[in-house]
Structure formats: structure tokens, C-alpha cells
Amino acid sequence: MLAGISGASAHVGVSPDKTTANSYALLTFAIPHGCAESATTKVAITLPPELDDAQPTVNPNWTAAKVTEKLAAPKKLADGSSITKRTSQIVYTAKAPLSPELRDALVLSVKLPDAAGKTLYFPTLQSCEVGRVDWSQVPAPGQDAHALKSPAPSLTVTAPAAATEADGHGAHGAEPAGSSPAARASATNDDGGQARSWAGLVAGVGGLVLGGIALLRSRKPAPAK
């Protein structure tokens, strides 16, 4: 089992920060090792046909370049515009060969297609000072991807969550009655008004008591001479 885990972790893979259809995602491609004992010099990531472009994130250890291809026919986009070419590949070149004993990560920003349930494959060619590894195998229908020797990095697009679940505006995310800022301010003002009312009442009662005492003293008969 440990040998299987080790082999799986040795693959060049992709980790998306999100997989929601029609959303922007950051895809992190892990480079866990070189080609056997040889240092990595270049990593070429091929984009699936469902993607039109990708924005490479700056990595101080690498330079990045886009490779474009001309489409067989113009492709119409959701906003009504059309394109005649697309970014087909992002090529990272190491400024200094990456030792086989070290790992690094390369990040792309992409907009995922509106295709929930679709699996996207990113064939990746890892070139080294000596040799290269072509991570491009795609499983056949019904085949276990873990059984492949050099599987292509992949992710599966997922459907958007319900609005009430995604933004926390459902029943469980609702704010309790009276807990809104306006309600809290109103409650504070009411409490202040009540306090002032009680203070006025106490002062008024005190005044009545003192007035009564003064009245009694004024009516007390004068002593006989």
C-alpha cells in the first residue's frame, strides 16, 4: 500500500482551488521530481480544447510563455464575440535546472467551461537535462486512471451549488430576528430612553417626598409662649 501511495504522489498532477462550472480557478501543477536522477529544465502544459486561454502566475524560478494555435473555424464566445485562435500550451522554462530532489509548483489561472461533469485533461511534457517524461496518458472508458504509468493531470468540472447554499443566505445562514444593525441600534436607543424615563420618575418621586415633608413642617403649630 505504501508503494502505491508513493507512486501516486510521484505523478505530475493538478490541484484546482475550485472546479465549479463557468468560474475562474487557479490550477496548481506540482512538479515533485525530475526525470529519474536528472534535473527538470522545462514543463509544457497543454490546455484541453474546452479552454481558450490561461494566465500563467509568475514564478521567480521560471519564465513562462504562451503557445497559440489557429482554429479550424472561428469560435463564438458567450458574449457574442468570436475568436480565430486560442492558447494551446503554456511553457515554463527553468532559470536554473530544478534538482530531482526538490519540488516546485506552477500555477495557471483559467475560466472553466460551462460543462458540469466534464473531465479536463492537461497533457504535460516534463523535459530534463537528460531525458523527459510525457504525462499524457488518458484512461479509456471504464479504466482506472491510477493504473496508468504516466497519467495526464486532470480535473472534473462540477455543477454550481444552489444559491442559498453557496452564499449562506439559506435558513441556517439567516440572521436571527432583532440581530440586524438597525435592530441592535433601535434596542440600544430604547434602552437609553427607558433608563432616562426611570431616572426622571425617581427624581419626580423624590421631589414629591421632599415637598410633602416641607408642607408638613409649615403646618406644624407654633409653640405656646
Side-chain angles (χ1 to χ4, degrees):
M1 182 177 70
L2 291 177
I5 293 175
S6 176
S9 64
H11 295 163
V12 171
V14 60
S15 299
D17 69 335
K18 66 180 68 173
T19 57
T20 309
N22 206 33
S23 68
Y24 287 93
L26 293 177
L27 311 183
T28 300
F29 291 81
I31 312 301
H33 57 72
C35 307
E37 300 301 320
S38 183
T40 301
T41 58
K42 185 180 295 186
V43 176
I45 303 169
T46 299
L47 303 182
E50 291 82 3
L51 300 183
D52 299 319
D53 193 18
Q55 190 73 18
T57 300
V58 173
N59 185 313
N61 302 318
W62 306 74
T63 60
K66 293 184 179 183
V67 177
T68 60
E69 68 176 6
K70 187 174 181 179
L71 300 176
K75 179 180 179 181
K76 191 171 183 179
L77 303 180
D79 61 2
S81 62
S82 60
I83 58 175
T84 57
K85 62 181 181 178
R86 64 180 285 270
T87 300
S88 60
Q89 198 174 62
I90 302 294
V91 179
Y92 279 94
T93 302
K95 294 179 180 180
L98 177 64
S99 169
E101 297 179 353
L102 301 178
R103 69 185 305 278
D104 208 340
L106 308 174
V107 182
L108 302 181
S109 174
V110 303
K111 183 177 182 182
L112 298 177
D114 188 9
K118 178 73 175 180
T119 298
L120 306 180
Y121 294 94
F122 298 80
T124 300
L125 180 61
Q126 180 184 8
S127 299
C128 301
E129 290 182 313
V130 178
R132 63 183 186 178
V133 181
D134 189 9
W135 305 96
S136 62
Q137 291 181 315
V138 175
Q143 183 181 16
D144 184 2
H146 294 89
L148 300 176
K149 183 179 180 181
S150 302
S154 65
L155 66 88
T156 300
V157 181
T158 57
T164 55
E165 296 176 0
D167 57 19
H169 290 170
H172 295 292
E175 194 172 40
S179 63
S180 67
R184 289 193 294 269
S186 177
T188 300
N189 292 337
D190 289 347
D191 290 344
Q194 290 178 2
R196 289 192 293 272
S197 298
W198 279 106
L201 181 60
V202 171
V205 172
L208 290 175
V209 171
L210 293 176
I213 293 174
L215 180 62
L216 290 175
R217 286 180 176 177
S218 67
R219 291 183 177 182
K220 185 176 182 181
K225 294 183 180 179

